């Protein structure tokens, strides 16, 4: 059973940061785009685009903190005998110590010892931007669709939370399908050993190898388990999101695009 909990520390830390960063920033970016950047009539006409853009911007912010923790998680799962005894801080220090051999080791990253920790940032950011954009947009649309069919579900707090669970689960599954290729490449590249001269496999190279060895299906390996994981965690995130939003007396209209049109 302990094997099922490999990488627990970086997973908990990573998604604590993810929850703290991505949900408030999505609400902020969506509000800012809808009121400060674009005129109200433009925002109303392009509501889908604004939701996608706000989701992408919040995913970029979340990726900055999630990348080193995701690197630690992958190392811990791939080589538990080496990294489990080190713990989270020890694993991060061990990965950072590889900077001297990293081709990314220059400039600002080198000065802070972050080159290897952030080597997977491009691929993870691509995955998170796809995942985050689709997640927020589909969650809102699934919720709207459910309420359009059964509007009475809005009247009770319990039923509204159940709608959040269902919409979050559906959004997590759809987001997994869209972002699975990027996630597969990220995992494959991160597990490859360092080559000659400290060179690590790049994202494009990893994609080409995976396609040549297994074709397009190779990019979707593990999709079923990832859909199960994502639907569970995203449903839980939106469920807690609504609970805390209610606890702080923040109404849904405070965080969505609502405009008063005066004729």
């Amino acid at each position: 059973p302990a094997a099922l909990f490999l990488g627990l520390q970086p997973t908990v830390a990573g998604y604590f940061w993810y929850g703290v960063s991505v949900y408030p920033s999505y609400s902020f970016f969506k509000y800012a785009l809808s009121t400060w950047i674009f005129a109200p009539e433009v925002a109303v006409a392009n509501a889908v685009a604004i939701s996608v853009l706000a989701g992408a911007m919040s995913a970029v912010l979340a990726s900055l903190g999630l990348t080193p923790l995701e690197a630690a998680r992958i190392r811990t799962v791939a080589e538990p005998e080496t990294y489990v005894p080190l713990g989270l801080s020890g694993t991060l220090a061990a990965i950072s110590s590889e900077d001297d051999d990293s081709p990314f080791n220059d400039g600002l990253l080198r000065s802070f010892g972050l080159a290897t920790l952030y080597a997977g940032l491009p691929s993870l950011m691509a995955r998170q931007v796809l995942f985050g954009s689709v997640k927020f947009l589909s969650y809102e649309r699934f919720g709207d669709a459910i309420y359009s069919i059964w509007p009475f579900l809005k009247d009770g707090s319990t039923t509204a939370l159940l709608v959040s669970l269902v919409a979050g689960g559906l959004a997590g599954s759809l987001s997994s399908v869209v972002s699975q290729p990027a996630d597969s490449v990220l995992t494959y590249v991160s597990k490859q050993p360092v080559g000659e001269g400290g060179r690590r496999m790049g994202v494009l190279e990893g994609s080409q190898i995976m396609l040549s060895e297994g074709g397009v299906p190779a990019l979707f390996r593990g999709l079923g388990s990832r859909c199960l994981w994502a639907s569970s965690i995203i449903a839980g995130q939106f469920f807690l999101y609504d609970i805390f939003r209610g606890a702080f007396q923040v109404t849904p209209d405070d965080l969505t695009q609502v405009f008063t049109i005066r004729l």
Side-chain angles (χ1 to χ4, degrees):
L4 298 176
F5 291 91
L6 289 174
L8 180 62
Q9 287 184 339
T11 298
V12 171
Y15 285 94
F16 177 83
W17 159 256
Y18 182 85
V20 166
S21 61
V22 79
Y23 288 93
S25 61
Y26 172 76
S27 300
F28 171 78
F29 288 134
K30 187 174 180 182
Y31 181 82
L33 290 169
S34 303
T35 57
W36 303 339
I37 307 301
F38 299 106
E41 59 273 15
V42 175
V44 171
N46 298 276
V48 171
I50 286 179
S51 293
V52 170
L53 183 57
M57 294 168 70
S58 64
V60 169
L61 178 62
S63 297
L64 297 178
L66 189 58
T67 297
L69 294 165
E70 184 72 359
R73 181 191 69 81
I74 292 174
R75 292 289 188 93
T76 303
V77 173
E79 302 176 53
E81 65 283 351
T82 301
Y83 294 103
V84 168
L86 299 178
L88 176 57
S89 59
T91 299
L92 291 172
I95 297 174
S96 180
S97 68
E98 300 171 3
D99 280 358
D100 290 340
D101 298 324
S102 173
F104 300 95
N105 191 12
D106 58 1
L108 186 63
L109 289 178
R110 179 177 185 176
S111 63
F112 286 97
L114 301 175
T116 309
L117 285 173
Y118 278 91
L121 179 62
S123 52
L124 186 136
M125 191 174 290
R127 181 192 77 180
Q128 289 299 121
V129 166
L130 289 171
F131 189 91
S133 300
V134 175
K135 177 185 72 174
F136 282 109
L137 178 63
S138 58
Y139 170 77
E140 293 176 351
R141 296 303 176 266
F142 281 133
D144 290 343
I146 293 172
Y147 285 130
S148 67
I149 299 173
W150 300 290
F152 64 90
L153 295 177
K154 270 187 177 181
D155 299 334
S157 58
T158 301
T159 54
L161 288 175
L162 288 175
V163 170
S164 291
L165 277 174
V166 173
L170 294 172
S173 295
L174 181 60
S175 302
S176 294
V177 174
V178 174
S179 62
Q180 178 65 17
D183 185 65
S184 297
V185 173
L186 171 65
T187 303
Y188 179 78
V189 169
S190 299
K191 291 172 64 176
Q192 301 307 307
V194 178
E196 296 182 2
R199 179 182 176 276
R200 282 194 170 272
M201 181 180 293
V203 174
L204 292 178
E205 182 183 357
S207 303
Q208 293 172 351
I209 293 174
M210 292 183 69
L211 288 171
S212 64
E213 292 180 350
V216 174
L219 299 178
F220 290 91
R221 289 190 190 124
L223 179 60
S225 58
R226 187 160 186 262
C227 283
L228 179 62
W229 167 83
S231 60
S232 300
I233 194 170
I234 299 305
Q237 286 176 353
F238 278 115
F239 183 77
L240 292 173
Y241 181 56
D242 279 356
I243 287 178
F244 283 105
R245 196 163 60 178
F248 287 102
Q249 299 181 343
V250 179
T251 65
D253 288 347
D254 292 330
L255 302 178
T256 54
Q257 297 158 330
V258 178
F259 303 97
T260 301
I261 308 298
R262 301 184 182 277
L263 300 177

